Amino acid sequence: VVLAEVIKAFGAPENAQRMDEARDNACNDMGKMLQFLLPVATQIQQDVIKTYGFSNDGEGVLKFARLIKSYESQDPEIASMSGKLKAMFLPPMALPPHAAGTGGVATS
């Protein structure tokens, strides 16, 4: 329930706008993502999870993330929602040029 509410909060117009502005400021630079996007994502999560007994700080968000992680392997729905949440504030990871292609496996 809490995870669904967090995902819903990211979709709220004011939060979506905040995330878009942070993404624009970050320009797909991982260091800038940490500087601009992560604090906004953390705040959005804090606003939801504090009503469920988590502390209203970064530690509360970390505890929430660890709890979700512990349930991912037991519940496919939680795993799916967790993936959606991560996709909202983590950039898609591109393969480095040397890893593209065969993935280090020899082909004949």
Side-chain angles (χ1 to χ4, degrees):
V1 171
V2 182
L3 183 54
E5 282 197 37
V6 168
I7 291 170
K8 184 178 174 185
F10 274 93
E14 65 275 7
N15 290 335
Q17 181 179 352
R18 290 170 59 201
M19 290 293 288
D20 287 343
E21 289 172 3
R23 267 190 212 91
D24 290 346
N25 288 333
C27 302
N28 277 337
D29 177 289
M30 186 54 79
K32 289 183 180 179
M33 288 278 189
L34 293 173
Q35 181 181 359
F36 295 113
L37 195 63
L38 195 58
V40 174
T42 300
Q43 183 63 53
I44 292 169
Q45 291 179 75
Q46 284 173 353
D47 290 345
V48 174
I49 66 173
K50 68 183 178 187
T51 61
Y52 292 93
F54 291 91
S55 59
N56 190 23
D57 57 15
E59 186 61 32
V61 172
L62 289 174
K63 285 181 181 178
F64 175 68
R66 284 191 293 264
L67 183 65
I68 294 303
K69 184 79 175 158
S70 73
Y71 286 112
E72 284 179 353
S73 62
Q74 301 169 28
D75 188 325
E77 185 178 358
I78 290 177
S80 173
M81 288 192 300
S82 177
K84 286 179 189 176
L85 177 61
K86 290 174 189 168
M88 291 177 181
F89 60 89
L90 293 176
M93 299 301 287
L95 290 175
H98 65 277
T102 62
V105 176
T107 59
S108 51

